[in-house]
């Protein structure tokens, strides 16, 4: 039984997903890379559906810290865990889709510019761990 998400819950899903992309993009920064990475991530987000697509395409953009990778992680990783818990409660059939969209976007970002750097692979692993936290 699917329940509608509140605006705050949709923002949590968006913060997790967009933040994961931002986390990977910042793991190996560069201006040209940033453009390619953004384009790659948008393709993964466009592949979403249902509640996940609604959350990622509606409402305001999340406000993410920009000062350090640690500050970004401190916001993004908990948001990913909360997003999975929200979906488990309100729309269980969308949990796998959210996880796939986030990981696909992160992997596309990492591979968009000269392959996956070790720092990007490490960021993806932290994202995966946050998405896989038990209920």
């Amino acid at each position: 039984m699917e329940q509608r998400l509140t605006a705050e819950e949709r923002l949590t899903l968006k913060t997790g997903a967009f933040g994961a992309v931002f986390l990977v993009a910042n793991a190996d920064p560069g201006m040209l890379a940033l453009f390619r990475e953004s384009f790659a991530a948008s393709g993964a987000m466009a592949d979403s559906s249902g509640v996940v697509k609604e959350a990622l395409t509606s409402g305001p953009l999340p406000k993410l810290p920009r000062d350090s990778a640690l500050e970004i992680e401190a916001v993004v990783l908990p948001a990913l865990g909360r997003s999975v818990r929200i979906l488990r409660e309100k729309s269980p059939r969308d949990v796998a889709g959210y996880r796939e969209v986030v990981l696909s976007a992160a992997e596309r970002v990492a591979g968009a510019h000269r392959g996956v750097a070790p720092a990007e692979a490490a960021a993806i692993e932290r994202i995966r761990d946050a998405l896989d936290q038990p209920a």
Side-chain angles (χ1 to χ4, degrees):
M1 182 169 122
E2 183 180 304
Q3 299 175 36
R4 285 192 62 82
L5 301 182
T6 66
E8 184 178 332
E9 290 167 335
R10 287 192 306 271
L11 184 59
T12 299
L13 268 66
K14 191 181 260 188
T15 298
F18 283 53
V21 167
F22 189 58
L23 187 64
V24 173
N26 278 311
D28 189 28
M31 264 329 250
L32 180 58
L34 184 60
F35 175 74
R36 287 182 181 160
E37 291 165 349
S38 296
F39 186 73
S42 68
M45 302 283 184
D47 292 342
S48 63
S49 62
V51 169
V52 173
K53 185 171 194 139
E54 179 187 342
L56 299 182
T57 60
S58 66
L61 289 175
K63 292 183 173 44
L64 297 167
R66 299 195 179 271
D67 293 334
S68 75
L70 290 176
E71 287 180 342
I72 296 167
E73 277 191 31
V75 170
V76 172
L77 299 181
L80 289 168
R82 280 193 309 276
S83 296
V84 170
R85 288 189 296 279
I86 289 165
L87 290 171
R88 279 187 189 136
E89 178 185 324
K90 292 200 166 184
S91 189
R93 65 186 176 98
D94 288 308
V95 173
Y98 181 75
R99 186 181 186 283
E100 289 170 22
V101 165
V102 170
L103 288 172
S104 176
E107 290 166 357
R108 287 182 189 190
V109 164
H113 186 69
R114 295 188 304 224
V116 181
E120 292 169 323
I124 291 169
E125 194 57 37
R126 290 190 297 279
I127 291 164
R128 184 175 281 110
D129 289 346
L131 290 166
D132 289 343
Q133 290 178 6

